[in-house]
């Protein structure tokens, strides 16, 4: 969801999955709006309004879809206002990325990079900027611990049509994978803006679904931009035989854990006090019997 905070009113805009939860947890302080029943244009109608936003967190496509109306003026703000007032923000837990072997991915990162290179050359593109972390994960066969319940590595990748790659992340996160990648140059995430600023007279492909307005504006100054869907999404959507085999294997193992759990539940629900929490803990105990289990996916 997202919030719009005005001088006298606050709006929390969610989809139908969260409208009840939003009302319970935030209804005293926010007007809860459920999309697609209502959109920002329905809230503001003809009232002229200036809305500030952080250009590093939003992409142009999303902003146009939500706010492209005559009476709404969008104003980029260089410093995120929430960051300024959030004094006790928890520190990021820094855990190193890890690699996935070909045994699990079915394709080496060399094979994947070659496919991407061929697309770039065919379309006469000099660079692809990969801003969706899940696409970085797929391309390099790496995973991380930056999101709860999803092994996403928080990193961005700039790839040239000759296969040179520049990976931007916190240096501590790449210490275990650096030796595996000869074609990759590793940079601190603080160097990202400077690197983009140094590019000039290039054709650069940006993903219209994930590239922030901030990145687009940096690259627009001295380059030609091709804004479309990152081709990695298409490659990723077609599973190779190894991935299909492993998905079936995963479901078989998880199905066995779930069957054990249901059997335990039927035997014990009358005698024992079982709550949603204790049931979930028991189910995870059965899942942990599989030596390859990592963590829940929800």
């Amino acid at each position: 969801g997202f919030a719009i905070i005005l001088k006298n009113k606050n709006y929390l805009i969610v989809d139908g999955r969260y409208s009840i939860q939003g009302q319970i947890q935030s209804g005293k302080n926010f007007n809860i709006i459920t999309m697609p029943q209502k959109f920002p244009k329905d809230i503001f109608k003809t009232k002229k309004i200036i809305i500030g936003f952080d250009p590093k967190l939003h992409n142009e496509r999303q902003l146009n879809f939500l706010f492209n109306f005559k009476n709404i003026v969008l104003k980029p703000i260089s410093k995120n206002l929430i960051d300024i007032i959030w004094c006790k923000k928890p520190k990021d837990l820094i855990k190193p990325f890890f690699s996935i072997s070909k045994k699990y991915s079915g394709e080496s990162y060399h094979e994947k990079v070659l496919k991407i290179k061929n697309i770039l050359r065919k379309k006469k593109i000099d660079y692809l900027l990969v801003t969706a972390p899940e696409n970085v994960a797929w391309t390099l066969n790496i995973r991380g611990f930056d999101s709860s319940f999803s092994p996403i590595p928080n990193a961005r990748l700039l790839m040239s049509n000759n296969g040179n790659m520049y990976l931007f992340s916190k240096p501590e996160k790449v210490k275990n994978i650096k030796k595996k990648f000869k074609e990759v140059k590793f940079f601190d995430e603080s160097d990202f803006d400077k690197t983009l600023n140094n590019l000039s007279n290039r054709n650069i492909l940006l993903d219209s679904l994930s590239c922030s307005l901030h990145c687009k504006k940096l690259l627009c100054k001295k380059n030609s931009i091709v804004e479309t869907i990152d081709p990695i999404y298409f490659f990723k959507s077609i599973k190779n035989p190894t991935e299909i085999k492993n998905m079936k294997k995963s479901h078989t193992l998880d199905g066995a854990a779930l069957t054990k759990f249901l059997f335990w539940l039927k035997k014990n629900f009358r005698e024992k006090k079982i709550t949603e929490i204790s049931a979930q803990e028991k189910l995870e105990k059965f899942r942990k019997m599989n030596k390859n289990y990592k963590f829940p996916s929800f």
Side-chain angles (χ1 to χ4, degrees):
F2 63 93
I4 301 172
I5 297 169
L6 306 180
K7 287 177 182 174
N8 305 313
K9 273 187 182 176
N10 306 317
Y11 295 93
L12 177 62
I13 299 168
V14 294
D15 66 41
R17 293 170 297 174
Y18 303 109
S19 48
I20 294 171
Q21 182 185 5
Q23 195 61 56
I24 292 167
Q25 295 183 345
S26 307
K28 286 179 184 174
N29 300 309
F30 287 82
N31 294 299
I32 311 300
I33 306 295
T34 304
M35 289 204 307
Q37 284 90 331
K38 276 188 179 180
F39 284 93
K41 66 174 180 181
D42 301 310
I43 305 168
F44 303 119
K45 292 179 182 169
T46 57
K47 185 183 177 187
K48 190 163 184 186
I49 190 163
I50 299 168
I51 296 176
F53 71 97
D54 183 345
K56 290 182 179 178
L57 296 182
H58 299 277
N59 65 62
E60 196 168 32
R61 185 170 166 166
Q62 174 197 40
L63 291 170
N64 282 337
F65 174 71
L66 293 167
F67 300 108
N68 193 13
F69 310 108
K70 283 180 184 175
N71 56 308
I72 295 178
V73 177
L74 291 173
K75 184 178 179 179
I77 297 171
S78 57
K79 281 194 174 181
N80 186 299
L81 304 187
I82 306 296
D83 288 339
I84 291 169
I85 62 166
W86 193 355
C87 309
K88 294 181 181 177
K89 187 175 182 180
K91 282 190 177 176
D92 289 338
L93 180 68
I94 295 176
K95 275 188 165 186
F97 301 156
F98 62 98
S99 289
I100 297 285
S101 71
K102 193 173 175 178
K103 176 183 164 187
Y104 297 113
S105 66
E107 284 180 289
S108 69
Y109 83 89
H110 291 107
E111 292 169 289
K112 293 178 177 182
V113 168
L114 183 62
K115 286 201 278 193
I116 299 163
K117 263 167 54 177
N118 290 339
I119 288 278
L120 297 181
R121 286 175 178 174
K122 191 177 171 184
K123 294 190 174 186
K124 295 184 169 54
I125 300 289
D126 297 308
Y127 286 95
L128 166 67
L129 178 61
V130 186
T131 44
E134 65 272 20
N135 288 1
V136 178
W138 180 87
T139 304
L140 298 179
N141 289 333
I142 60 172
R143 301 292 186 268
F145 300 93
D146 295 321
S147 300
S148 300
F149 312 116
S150 186
I152 300 289
N154 195 356
R156 285 170 288 191
L157 185 70
L158 182 66
M159 186 186 301
S160 74
N161 62 14
N162 61 11
N164 288 332
M165 289 174 281
Y166 309 88
L167 187 77
F168 300 88
S169 69
K170 281 194 162 64
E172 308 95 306
K173 292 182 181 180
V174 296
K175 62 181 183 182
N176 294 348
I177 62 166
K178 264 188 170 181
K179 289 178 184 175
K180 293 180 184 287
F181 301 102
K182 288 177 184 173
E183 304 90 340
V184 180
K185 290 182 179 176
F186 293 89
F187 289 89
D188 192 304
E189 57 187 24
S190 62
D191 295 322
F192 184 64
D193 285 7
K194 187 172 74 178
T195 306
L196 297 192
N197 261 324
N198 288 338
L199 290 174
S200 61
N201 302 314
R202 303 290 183 185
N203 289 330
I204 301 174
L205 194 154
L206 303 181
D207 178 45
S208 58
L209 298 171
S210 67
C211 184
S212 72
L213 193 57
H214 172 76
C215 291
K216 183 182 173 180
K217 286 197 169 177
L218 283 180
L219 290 168
C220 272
K221 292 174 189 174
K222 296 181 275 187
N223 302 280
S224 296
I225 300 300
V226 178
E227 205 169 2
T228 181
I229 295 176
D230 181 345
I232 294 168
Y233 281 113
F234 299 108
F235 292 133
K236 201 172 63 167
S237 67
I238 301 167
K239 304 303 175 193
N240 63 51
T242 302
E243 287 174 314
I244 292 167
K245 183 188 82 180
N246 285 333
M247 286 165 87
K248 288 177 178 177
K249 190 178 173 184
S250 297
H251 280 287
T252 303
L253 292 165
D254 198 60
L258 195 60
T259 303
K260 288 173 184 174
F261 167 71
L262 292 172
F263 184 74
W264 169 83
L265 194 62
K266 281 184 178 178
K267 271 185 73 179
N268 292 287
F269 81 96
R270 285 190 178 89
E271 287 80 32
K272 292 182 180 179
K273 186 190 173 185
I274 299 171
T275 65
E276 283 188 59
I277 296 292
S278 66
Q280 176 262 321
E281 285 169 351
K282 190 71 178 178
L283 175 56
E284 191 171 7
K285 201 172 178 181
F286 285 123
R287 284 181 164 142
K288 280 179 177 174
M289 289 177 180
N290 166 20
K291 68 180 191 309
N292 292 317
Y293 176 80
K294 291 202 179 307
F295 45 73
S297 60
F298 294 96

